[in-house]
Amino acid sequence: MTTDFNYSIKRISFDENYQPANSTRLTTNFANLARGAHRQVNLRNALKMIDNSFNALANWDNPNGDRYSVELEIISVDMTVTTSDEIFPSIEVLKTNILDHQTGERIEGIVGNNFSSYVRDYDFSVLLLNHNKDQAQFSVPNNFGDLHGKLFQYFLSSDAYRQHFKKPPVICLSVSDNKTYHRTENQHPVLGVEYQPNESSLTEQYFQKMGLQVRYFMPPNSVAPFAFYFVGDLLNDYTNLELISTISTMETFQKIYRPEIYNANAAAGKCYKPNLKNHDHSLTQIVYDREERSRLAIEQGKFAEQHFIKPYQDVLENWAANYSV
């Protein structure tokens, strides 16, 4: 029997009235902000920050800095194995849409913001931790990330993805505090100044198995570079407004939960090493529980192990061994 995977995609609006469903992956940044006593103020302030950041970058023909607003959708991807009817929550991301108040046009943005995956949680928060438990030297398990990478690329090639999205995703992440970044002479009008890392990282290698390249840019008005993971040509496959929608969304979230880096009071120089212990930074007026996020990543990695990895271990290993991108 040929193993296959079927996908179903659900969309809900992420606005100040959003409340996470029980099935939502609570480690995602947007879900973390949408719980607790400050949930509605959190959401309202975060969305306003995104709009302000967008208009600051899209400043042409925008004299009052209020021409655009960003609408966000939560994209939840459920997966079933053909040999079973059990639904497994595969991926959750945000997708941007841009509203031009001057023309009334609604412009499709980019999917991939706040990318989260149960299998990735399993890989990093269960498999990798167990592999290195009580070990004197850090190492990576054999075939680490192979299954996740193939599942991700299989999803991008699926009819479900093509029916919902016109372009491949762009996943914007924080830079690593374990690496040093050097500014280059290359500069893009929207993405900003390009940086080069001093070495590759486990995250880069993991995302490479997902079919994604990475480039590092520090946009205008930002104080640190971001890691942009993409398929194809980042600079030419997307419009300026599409790129700005990703930058403004992810810069806002990074300011909230990585203020030591992205809300620092001094901008990155020619040689930049991120520091999560940097005290010279400002806090946003948004409540974010960073410790809870780390704890939930482990819990949800164990959920993936219990409900997906172990029950379908033989099926998944056979599929991964025979599937070629």
Side-chain angles (χ1 to χ4, degrees), residues 25-290:
R25 201 176 154 275
L26 294 179
T27 55
T28 49
N29 302 321
F30 53 83
N32 188 293
L33 299 181
R35 293 182 295 115
H38 304 282
R39 53 169 305 279
Q40 194 164 47
V41 174
N42 273 350
L43 294 172
R44 188 180 300 130
N45 288 343
L47 294 169
K48 184 61 177 174
M49 285 175 64
I50 292 171
D51 287 347
N52 289 342
S53 176
F54 189 101
N55 283 290
L57 286 174
N59 52 23
W60 59 93
D61 293 334
N62 189 5
N64 297 321
D66 59 0
R67 176 171 175 171
Y68 302 100
S69 58
V70 179
E71 299 175 342
L72 297 174
E73 292 179 294
I74 299 170
I75 308 297
S76 299
V77 183
D78 289 334
M79 178 172 67
T80 56
V81 182
T82 49
T83 55
S84 170
D85 293 329
E86 186 173 352
I87 296 173
F88 178 72
S90 174
I91 292 170
E92 200 158 56
V93 292
L94 288 178
K95 180 182 179 296
T96 61
N97 295 290
I98 306 146
L99 183 59
D100 185 338
H101 297 287
Q102 181 170 304
T103 65
E105 184 181 6
R106 191 171 183 267
I107 305 162
E108 189 168 353
I110 297 179
V111 67
N113 303 279
N114 272 296
F115 170 80
S116 63
S117 159
Y118 271 99
V119 176
R120 186 177 69 160
D121 274 349
Y122 165 76
D123 282 342
F124 280 94
S125 299
V126 177
L127 179 62
L128 190 62
L129 287 182
N130 289 341
H131 178 78
N132 284 284
K133 188 176 182 180
D134 300 324
Q135 298 299 311
Q137 188 171 358
F138 177 84
S139 64
V140 177
N142 292 332
N143 304 319
F144 182 72
D146 285 5
L147 174 63
H148 183 267
K150 290 184 176 182
L151 287 172
F152 182 78
Q153 294 191 64
Y154 187 83
F155 170 59
L156 292 192
S157 66
S158 69
D159 290 339
Y161 186 90
R162 289 195 292 262
Q163 288 168 6
H164 283 265
F165 311 111
K166 295 178 181 177
K167 296 184 180 182
V170 175
I171 299 173
C172 179
L173 302 180
S174 169
V175 287
S176 170
D177 61 336
N178 294 321
K179 296 199 295 184
T180 301
Y181 300 83
H182 298 275
R183 186 190 298 171
T184 72
E185 297 301 317
N186 190 37
Q187 187 164 352
H188 183 272
V190 166
L191 290 167
V193 179
E194 186 165 16
Y195 278 75
Q196 292 282 357
N198 63 324
E199 60 183 355
S200 179
S201 68
L202 181 57
T203 299
E204 287 182 10
Q205 296 161 21
Y206 192 85
F207 275 78
Q208 188 175 24
K209 292 185 177 183
M210 296 163 60
L212 302 176
Q213 309 169 59
V214 64
R215 294 179 74 170
Y216 298 87
F217 286 92
M218 184 169 76
N221 308 323
S222 298
V223 297
F226 296 86
F228 294 89
Y229 289 88
F230 60 95
V231 177
D233 187 338
L234 177 67
L235 276 61
N236 293 304
D237 290 348
Y238 303 91
T239 68
N240 284 344
L241 291 183
E242 287 173 340
L243 291 172
I244 291 172
S245 70
T246 284
I247 294 167
S248 59
T249 299
M250 293 314 302
E251 181 177 55
T252 294
F253 283 113
Q254 299 289 13
K255 282 184 175 181
I256 293 168
Y257 85 93
R258 286 285 187 272
E260 300 91 343
I261 296 175
Y262 291 100
N263 217 27
N265 294 326
K270 291 183 178 180
C271 178
Y272 176 62
K273 183 171 177 54
N275 181 9
L276 285 172
K277 295 181 180 179
N278 171 37
H279 296 293
D280 187 24
H281 67 273
S282 302
L283 297 176
T284 65
Q285 299 300 307
I286 297 171
V287 178
Y288 180 85
D289 193 334
R290 188 153 57 184

